Amino acid sequence: MRASNLALVLRAIAEAGPITRAQLATATGLTKSSISGQVTDLVAAGLVEETDAPPSRDRGRPGTMLSLHRQGAAGLGLEVNVDYLAALVVDLGGTVRYRHVVTRDNRGRPAAEVLAELVRLAEAAVAAAAEQDLVLAGACLAVPGATDGSTIVRAPNLDWAAVPVELPLPATAYGLSIENEANLAALGELWFGTATPRDFVHVSGEIGIGAGIVVGGELFRGAHARAGELGHVILDPDGPSCSCGGRGCLERLAGLDAILLAAGVASRVELEQRCEAGDLRALDAVAEAGRLVGVALASVTNLLDPDAVVLGGVFAALAPWLQPAVAESLAAHAAKPELLVSSLGPDAAVRGAAGAVVQRVIDDPATYVGSRD
Ligand SMILES: [Zn+2]
């Protein structure tokens, strides 16, 4: 009861703050004395801060306003992807306080070696958070594959299977969780994106292609947590074989590797430079990928009826040349969701990972408060 009231009060402050104790009582339906006790605990744990209300002619003395403490708890987001590693810290107010991304081709590297490099990134992030007087409440790792919470079950584009993840990080209130990067990218978009609707599909275009499905402001995971495998939607049953064991999957035809091969370039940076310079082969390669992504998304739209489709990851960076082809393809298949470009781009998943920790603090502050005793 007490734990759920604590969450009720913190959520109200997160949604409506700065807010007075009297307004909190109205918003939560709790008594003023109950509010007073919860607020004392939240302030003592460093989750909420008190500030003076601005002077007002109607009031005799200035009241005290309550808001989330931006120098208190923070979330550590980590990401292992096919061609980069990332670490990012977000405070309770959602502001990015630290970010470090390392470009690295992780294909063919042993998982232990990649995870050891990730730990060095995480240690630098932990030190940076401490320097800013932030208290890490937990960590969340984004991976390009399926997870069961503590193990990377399968990450075909890294050629990893059954990789247990135990990172030697400092003890935190919530510890480490592991989640699929496409899901976290969708949540990143939901929490930190600009004007993102409550029903949308976020497409993470990388070497693989994943999607996160958000329905009514909640992530849709499916019966076996495998929903959103957009990259393995089959466009050509006789097409090239895929790491999933199937053939002609979208990511084999329109993932970054396929685009680079068709464009005759070695890197994403070079691809963007060629597109900017008007190189026809590069522009055709991106447009063809856009056409195929549009075909797959037309089916997705017909199944799910989202308000919007958000192009993320590499697809956000390539949007000037990719988006028109996606839009044309969607229209040709009579699907008309709003077509948006992620404002977070390749950071969406690691932002979502850090945000997932912050969300955990808001949903379950009692565990954090207990860890500070
Ligand atoms: Zn496949």
Side-chain angles (χ1 to χ4, degrees):
M1 184 63 175
R2 185 162 168 72
S4 63
N5 284 347
L6 204 61
L8 192 63
V9 170
L10 187 59
R11 177 172 299 281
I13 293 171
E15 284 171 1
I19 184 171
T20 65
R21 283 173 171 77
Q23 288 167 335
L24 261 184
T26 308
T28 59
L30 298 174
T31 63
K32 280 187 186 169
S33 69
S34 172
I35 293 281
S36 175
Q38 317 285 355
V39 167
T40 300
D41 287 354
L42 292 169
V43 170
L47 293 176
V48 166
E49 65 179 338
E50 298 178 285
T51 50
D52 288 339
S56 152
R57 265 183 294 167
D58 317 331
R59 268 194 306 254
R61 60 187 177 82
T64 306
M65 307 296 285
L66 301 162
S67 49
L68 291 178
H69 196 341
R70 286 165 196 252
Q71 285 303 115
L76 172 61
L78 300 169
E79 183 174 7
V80 169
N81 217 313
V82 179
D83 52 356
Y84 62 89
L85 298 169
L88 185 142
V89 175
V90 163
D91 67 24
L92 211 47
T95 303
V96 175
R97 304 291 290 266
Y98 175 85
R99 174 187 181 275
H100 188 200
V101 179
V102 179
T103 304
R104 184 83 77 245
D105 193 338
N106 292 316
R107 284 171 292 185
R109 295 180 74 195
E113 184 187 305
V114 175
L115 292 176
E117 188 175 358
L118 181 74
V119 167
R120 291 196 290 278
L121 248 70
E123 284 168 348
V126 169
E131 270 172 29
Q132 299 180 65
D133 292 327
L134 297 169
V135 179
L136 289 177
C140 178
L141 170 62
V143 298
T147 81
D148 70 357
S150 61
T151 303
I152 301 171
V153 177
R154 209 174 60 92
N157 289 320
L158 288 167
D159 201 17
W160 292 3
V163 175
V165 179
E166 285 175 27
L167 305 182
L169 298 175
T172 54
Y174 306 100
L176 173 72
S177 59
I178 312 174
E179 174 71 87
N180 173 267
E181 58 94 15
N183 284 346
L184 288 171
L187 289 172
E189 201 62 42
L190 177 70
W191 293 328
F192 304 114
T194 43
T196 310
R198 306 278 290 170
D199 292 87
F200 67 94
V201 175
H202 176 275
V203 183
S204 295
E206 304 291 345
I207 286 168
I209 299 175
I213 301 164
V214 174
V215 180
E218 301 278 343
L219 186 68
F220 175 77
R221 293 171 186 279
H224 310 93
R226 290 202 293 260
E229 288 287 0
L230 182 67
H232 301 288
V233 165
I234 299 155
L235 291 191
D236 177 5
D238 300 320
S241 61
C242 178
S243 60
C244 72
R247 280 186 170 279
C249 298
L250 176 66
E251 72 180 36
R252 280 290 276 121
L253 304 172
L256 182 60
D257 273 356
I259 301 175
L260 295 180
L261 187 69
V265 297
S267 70
R268 193 196 91 187
V269 175
E270 193 184 347
L271 178 67
E272 284 176 47
Q273 286 167 347
R274 293 278 184 95
C275 286
E276 266 161 20
D279 180 287
L280 283 181
R281 186 173 170 193
L283 291 170
D284 280 352
V286 172
E288 174 61 5
R291 185 184 73 79
L292 294 169
V293 168
V295 169
L297 285 176
S299 296
V300 167
T301 302
N302 286 326
L303 276 176
L304 299 176
D305 185 26
D307 278 326
V309 169
V310 185
L311 298 176
V314 171
F315 289 167
L318 295 174
W321 312 285
L322 183 97
Q323 189 184 11
V326 178
E328 196 177 310
S329 194
L330 281 171
H333 295 88
K336 293 190 179 66
E338 193 178 358
L339 184 58
L340 304 174
V341 178
S342 168
S343 53
L344 307 178
D347 277 0
V350 76
R351 283 276 288 274
V357 176
V358 166
Q359 199 60 37
R360 190 99 182 259
V361 178
I362 307 283
D363 290 342
D364 171 26
T367 298
Y368 182 83
V369 171
S371 76
R372 304 292 292 162
D373 286 342

Coordinates of all heavy atoms in Angstrom, one line a residue, residues 231-232 242 244 249, ligand 1:
G231 N 12.4 -7.0 -40.0 CA 13.5 -7.3 -41.0 C 13.3 -8.7 -41.6 O 13.9 -9.0 -42.6
H232 N 12.5 -9.5 -40.9 CA 12.3 -10.9 -41.4 C 11.0 -11.1 -42.0 O 10.5 -12.2 -42.2 CB 12.7 -11.9 -40.3 CG 14.1 -11.8 -39.8 ND1 15.1 -12.1 -40.6 CD2 14.6 -11.2 -38.7 CE1 16.3 -11.8 -40.0 NE2 15.9 -11.2 -38.8
C242 N 18.8 -15.8 -45.6 CA 19.0 -14.8 -44.5 C 19.5 -15.5 -43.2 O 19.4 -16.7 -43.1 CB 17.6 -14.2 -44.2 SG 17.5 -13.0 -42.9
C244 N 18.3 -15.6 -40.5 CA 17.3 -16.2 -39.7 C 16.9 -17.6 -40.2 O 16.2 -18.4 -39.5 CB 16.0 -15.4 -39.7 SG 15.1 -15.4 -41.3
C249 N 14.2 -12.0 -47.0 CA 13.7 -11.2 -45.9 C 14.0 -9.7 -46.2 O 15.0 -9.4 -46.9 CB 14.3 -11.5 -44.6 SG 14.0 -13.2 -44.0
Ligands
ZN1 ZN 15.4 -13.3 -42.1

